[in-house]
Amino acid sequence: MLALAAATFIWTLGFYLEANSYTLEGQLFFNNIGYVGSMSVSVAWLVFSLNYTSDYSWMTGRKLILLCVVPLTSLILVWTNEWHHLMWYDAHLATTGSFTVTVKTYGIFFWIALAYNYTLIVTGVFILIRRLFVGIPLYTRQGISLVVAISLPLIWNIIFVFDLLPLPRKDLTPVTFAISGLIIIIGVMRLQLFRAIPFVRELIVQQVSSGVLAFNNDGRLLEANQAALRIFGESKGIIGKPLEQLLSLSPVLKNLRSNVEGGTVQLPLATSGEERLYEMETTPMRDRHDRQLGWLVILRDITEVKRMQEQLVAQDRLASIGEFTAGIAHELNNPLSNIIGFSELLRKREVSSDIKADLDIVSKEAERAARIADNLLIFSRNEQGDKLPIDVNKILRKTLELRAYEQKTNNVQTIFRLSNDLPEVIGDAIQLQQVFLNIIVNAEFFMIEAHGKGTLTIVTEQADEHVKIIFKDDGPGIPQENISRLFNPFFTTKEVGKGTGLGLSICYGIVTGHGGRIWADSKPGEGATFIVELPINK
Amino acid sequence: MDLNQTILVVDDEQFTLQLLKRILEGDNYKVLTATSGDEALKILSSSEVHMVLLDIRMPGMNGYETLERIREKWNIPVIMATAVGEVSSSVKSLTLGADDYIRKPFSQQILLSRVRAKLRRAGSYNNQNELN
């Protein structure tokens, strides 16, 4: 663009000085300077067109030099014209109106140079037309403005050289170039000429975060963008190969076969070790005559969206169960406090000792029922406290202090393997302690029930953007069919009265409320492992 | 204990009212009862009351609303009755102008000692006002 402007400027300058010179030598001299500009304009224009449409990769330094051969030769010939007259001969001054102009007859090489320049300019126009007139209104308007801008000087130049109009023989092409410049400036301002340039379309396909793949009817891979290559851990080299040969793409092939008409399926892919869920959208690609050329496959990573949806559903379910539970607990609370209160009033009266003993039982049992209601209330409450930076190791140690006595009397041993440089997490310390306590008490319960003793190992470590807390016990383990139900509300394997089935579901609610994950892993006979993952405080 | 001290007990449940009435009368207080917030406000307007024992969970006007209405006119001690384990309700009660709270089920000893303490504090405050 800059080169284009510079060339035009030199041309115009030469033209201006020529017009203001009144001797033949002077006119010829400045005319020759003008040639430096006019010869480079066409090359600059072509380079500009290529740049603008992003085909510049074609333009290598060597090709540029080749393109300049003719203009340079012309220039040498222009400056050495008086010895060979290849460019013009028979130059003399003529006065037309107020202008003094040089009249000359062109030589053979002038016509060669002219034809060459026209070819370059027309090629540039053609490149622009090909890339810009594709039906996108913005591009079309940009294209029109550019083509008008370059055609104006071209037409004027043709008129001048072939003497088509009965006007003074004066090359006004540089003036029309100035008008072109004006049109381009308007284009820049009105049509964002240099903002939405066409190659953006290619960049979109390459850089969009979804994986984009295109196959032809023979199942050959035609195109794969960067995201797609990343998904399958492949390099650009796979483009062009038949799908059958690409082992990593076999899940795509399988779905393609069952979805020849197109459609959307969910596709789990275990690339780079971790399984992620993708939405695979298949669309048949057709040409203008509705013939199918192949398929377009778009892969969107919906792992997080899915996880979030599941969390929302689980939280929703927990919230409604929480409300329901809280309601029951409250309803029970009033009658229970009346039972306790009236038994106490009765015991203060003059009654026989056996009645007193019975009243004690009534009172104690009512108190037990009230404690259960109280527990339900605590479990059902999901109040979000203040979230502050937290040292997970510290909370784990504090939680274990609460269990130290119980563990000692029940032959349970806890081994800490805590990371020394664990990053902090953001959270509610009391809620997280509730989670850890719940997991620890569960582990104790099942280990003691199975062997009357046990060893619990607690590990903390950093895993990418998360802090991972692992609780591994040597209890009886969890049967596979129960693993997926562990966090469901009211699911319990403890005998009646020993568990509400709410503990782990509350843990689930708290951990997901912290943006984390909680899950269990177990091989029967080898104990159970609970893993809590919490995002690091950034 | 001073027989002139009158306590208004507000609860929608008859048995709870009976229980509280008997516990407090056992400690020689005069007890008035109301089964709703509206009734409580009427009694406060017509009788001399030294303290209110107010349940939070009531149909119609609940304990918080009743407390706010009481505080618009009266400066007597109010003790709120909350369910066990509800931290937020006790905090809310105190914020809205209650002087103390008890949790249900309550121990009769604790109830009576809190009532005594609040009345004693209110009494000394009134005496000081008179002195000034």
Side-chain angles (χ1 to χ4, degrees):
Chain A
M1 188 64 197
L2 220 63
L4 191 64
T8 315
F9 176 72
I10 295 171
W11 194 358
T12 316
L13 187 71
F15 161 77
Y16 176 75
L17 294 172
E18 181 190 344
N20 285 292
S21 181
Y22 295 101
T23 63
L24 181 63
E25 287 74 25
Q27 287 226 342
L28 281 176
F29 175 77
F30 290 119
N31 184 28
N32 291 355
I33 287 183
Y35 265 103
V36 175
S38 67
M39 284 300 156
S40 23
V41 160
S42 53
V43 176
W45 164 254
L46 184 69
V47 172
F48 164 76
S49 309
L50 288 169
N51 260 316
Y52 189 67
T53 54
S54 83
D55 288 334
Y56 51 87
S57 54
W58 178 86
M59 179 61 74
T60 58
R62 189 186 296 172
K63 281 176 182 155
L64 189 63
I65 290 169
L66 274 175
L67 279 175
C68 291
V69 166
V70 175
L72 284 173
T73 317
S74 313
L75 281 180
I76 293 165
L77 290 178
V78 162
W79 288 94
T80 58
N81 189 54
E82 37 188 305
W83 291 294
H84 48 67
H85 295 289
L86 281 171
M87 293 303 283
W88 70 80
Y89 46 89
D90 188 23
H92 61 267
L93 283 178
T95 311
T96 347
S98 57
F99 286 112
T100 307
V101 295
T102 307
V103 179
K104 52 199 173 189
T105 314
Y106 296 114
I108 174 93
F109 203 85
F110 175 85
W111 297 109
I112 295 173
L114 188 72
Y116 177 76
N117 283 344
Y118 281 176
T119 311
L120 290 194
I121 287 173
V122 170
T123 309
V125 170
F126 175 73
I127 288 169
L128 279 179
I129 288 175
R130 194 176 53 127
R131 294 304 302 267
L132 288 171
F133 291 86
V134 286
I136 299 168
L138 180 63
Y139 292 160
T140 308
R141 284 196 299 273
Q142 287 182 4
I144 291 171
S145 115
L146 279 173
V147 169
V148 167
I150 195 63
S151 303
L152 222 69
L154 189 69
I155 291 166
W156 184 263
N157 188 260
I158 291 171
I159 291 171
F160 165 73
V161 171
F162 294 97
D163 207 4
L164 295 177
L165 280 180
L167 284 173
R169 283 199 55 128
K170 187 79 224 163
D171 188 354
L172 289 176
T173 317
V175 176
T176 48
F177 257 116
I179 298 172
S180 304
L182 214 64
I183 295 176
I184 291 177
I185 287 168
I186 291 169
V188 168
M189 282 159 56
R190 298 260 333 256
L191 307 171
Q192 303 124 39
L193 208 50
F194 295 101
R195 262 186 231 156
I197 29 189
F199 72 88
V200 164
R201 274 180 298 149
E202 267 180 40
L203 286 181
I204 288 170
V205 174
Q206 273 309 312
Q207 298 187 355
V208 72
S209 60
S210 302
V212 179
L213 299 159
F215 303 98
N216 69 4
N217 288 332
D218 306 329
R220 203 175 274 274
L221 182 63
L222 297 176
E223 186 60 78
N225 72 349
Q226 288 160 12
L229 294 174
R230 235 185 349 262
I231 291 170
F232 296 104
E234 293 282 3
S235 67
K236 257 191 141 62
I238 62 165
I239 294 170
K241 287 190 179 155
L243 254 177
E244 275 92 351
Q245 289 179 18
L246 300 168
L247 208 65
S248 60
L249 269 71
S250 59
V252 172
L253 177 64
K254 208 177 132 226
N255 272 290
L256 209 55
R257 284 199 176 119
S258 50
N259 271 305
V260 285
E261 294 302 314
T264 305
V265 290
Q266 290 189 354
L267 184 69
L269 288 172
T271 54
S272 68
E274 187 197 6
E275 185 175 283
R276 298 191 72 82
L277 189 66
Y278 291 89
E279 188 180 73
M280 173 176 158
E281 187 187 329
T282 311
T283 325
M285 282 193 296
R286 296 181 200 281
D287 66 5
R288 274 178 301 173
H289 310 292
D290 213 32
R291 280 184 306 230
Q292 184 165 346
L293 302 172
W295 290 274
L296 184 69
V297 171
I298 297 172
L299 290 164
R300 266 184 290 271
D301 188 336
I302 56 167
T303 318
E304 302 304 325
V305 176
K306 193 86 180 168
R307 191 179 289 171
M308 237 129 84
Q309 274 175 354
E310 277 168 7
Q311 278 180 12
L312 278 179
V313 169
Q315 276 173 349
D316 222 40
R317 200 171 51 202
L318 272 179
S320 53
I321 286 170
E323 264 171 55
F324 179 68
T325 317
I328 293 175
H330 273 297
E331 290 310 315
L332 288 176
N333 210 42
N334 271 340
L336 286 171
S337 36
N338 288 345
I339 293 171
I340 295 166
F342 278 103
S343 345
E344 209 174 319
L345 282 181
L346 272 177
R347 281 173 69 244
K348 279 183 185 156
R349 291 199 179 180
E350 299 286 320
V351 285
S352 59
S353 59
D354 54 332
I355 293 178
K356 245 187 181 129
D358 288 355
L359 279 173
D360 274 347
I361 295 172
V362 171
S363 196
K364 288 237 162 58
E365 285 299 289
E367 272 165 22
R368 190 162 78 94
R371 266 201 308 279
I372 293 172
D374 185 21
N375 275 331
L376 286 176
L377 265 186
I378 291 170
F379 277 136
S380 64
R381 197 177 49 235
N382 207 359
E383 286 168 16
Q384 291 285 333
D386 285 341
K387 290 197 169 160
L388 300 165
I390 282 174
D391 178 357
V392 169
N393 287 346
K394 205 167 134 191
I395 296 192
L396 283 166
R397 288 206 184 86
K398 268 173 74 180
T399 312
L400 207 79
E401 277 170 25
L402 296 174
R403 302 302 301 166
Y405 177 77
E406 292 277 332
Q407 292 199 350
K408 203 173 157 194
T409 52
N410 285 298
N411 295 320
V412 172
Q413 196 192 352
T414 296
I415 299 167
F416 272 130
R417 288 208 195 109
L418 305 184
S419 163
N420 285 328
D421 49 355
L422 199 67
E424 286 182 330
V425 302
I426 281 277
D428 179 337
I430 294 170
Q431 283 194 331
L432 290 180
Q433 179 160 352
Q434 192 184 336
V435 171
F436 301 153
L437 191 63
N438 214 296
I439 297 172
I440 293 170
V441 170
N442 272 348
E444 287 169 7
F445 178 89
F446 286 105
M447 289 191 296
I448 295 164
E449 195 186 49
H451 343 282
K453 60 171 185 165
T455 305
L456 174 67
T457 311
I458 302 177
V459 183
T460 55
E461 61 189 34
Q462 184 177 353
D464 296 328
E465 302 291 289
H466 291 90
V467 162
K468 215 172 185 178
I469 308 122
I470 303 160
F471 303 83
K472 184 168 173 29
D473 67 42
D474 61 357
I478 306 162
Q480 202 55 43
E481 67 266 23
N482 287 348
I483 289 257
S484 58
R485 298 153 68 200
L486 280 180
F487 300 98
N488 287 355
F490 297 119
F491 176 79
T492 181
T493 57
K494 294 177 186 166
E495 60 186 276
V496 178
K498 294 231 166 133
T500 54
L502 284 173
L504 283 177
S505 75
I506 301 300
C507 292
Y508 185 88
I510 292 173
V511 173
T512 53
H514 279 73
R517 284 203 299 157
I518 179 171
W519 70 98
D521 202 6
S522 176
K523 288 195 185 99
E526 286 180 30
T529 307
F530 281 82
I531 301 118
V532 177
E533 222 175 57
L534 296 166
I536 289 171
N537 175 27
K538 278 176 214 149
Chain B
M1 200 36 75
D2 188 355
L3 259 175
N4 291 331
Q5 302 269 27
T6 306
I7 299 174
L8 171 63
V9 183
V10 192
D11 200 304
D12 59 308
E13 286 201 28
Q14 274 302 332
F15 291 134
T16 309
L17 282 181
Q18 275 185 34
L19 177 66
L20 287 168
K21 189 175 159 76
R22 277 173 57 184
I23 294 168
L24 293 169
E25 280 175 351
D27 215 29
N28 291 329
Y29 292 103
K30 194 179 165 205
V31 177
L32 299 173
T33 59
T35 53
S36 71
D38 282 320
E39 198 186 339
L41 291 169
K42 271 185 208 135
I43 292 172
L44 281 171
S45 313
S46 55
S47 327
E48 197 197 0
V49 174
H50 298 95
M51 170 187 273
V52 181
L53 201 56
L54 182 59
D55 188 33
I56 290 176
R57 284 171 66 89
M58 286 190 295
M61 199 198 300
N62 68 24
Y64 300 127
E65 291 166 291
T66 312
L67 174 61
E68 283 179 305
R69 299 280 296 276
I70 291 173
R71 279 290 169 257
E72 284 168 12
K73 282 191 187 169
W74 294 281
N75 199 23
I76 48 173
V78 177
I79 297 179
M80 305 289 279
T82 72
V84 189
E86 290 230 302
V87 181
S88 59
S89 61
S90 30
V91 172
K92 189 173 175 185
S93 301
L94 295 176
T95 313
L96 289 176
D99 297 273
D100 205 348
Y101 60 86
I102 52 159
R103 287 173 172 176
K104 289 187 194 173
F106 46 82
S107 129
Q108 299 184 6
Q109 290 299 325
I110 289 177
L111 171 69
L112 286 174
S113 52
R114 289 201 172 176
V115 168
R116 276 182 214 130
K118 288 297 147 200
L119 280 172
R120 190 171 59 229
R121 182 65 54 204
S124 67
Y125 175 78
N126 286 340
N127 292 342
Q128 262 192 357
N129 268 1
E130 277 163 26
L131 284 174
N132 291 339

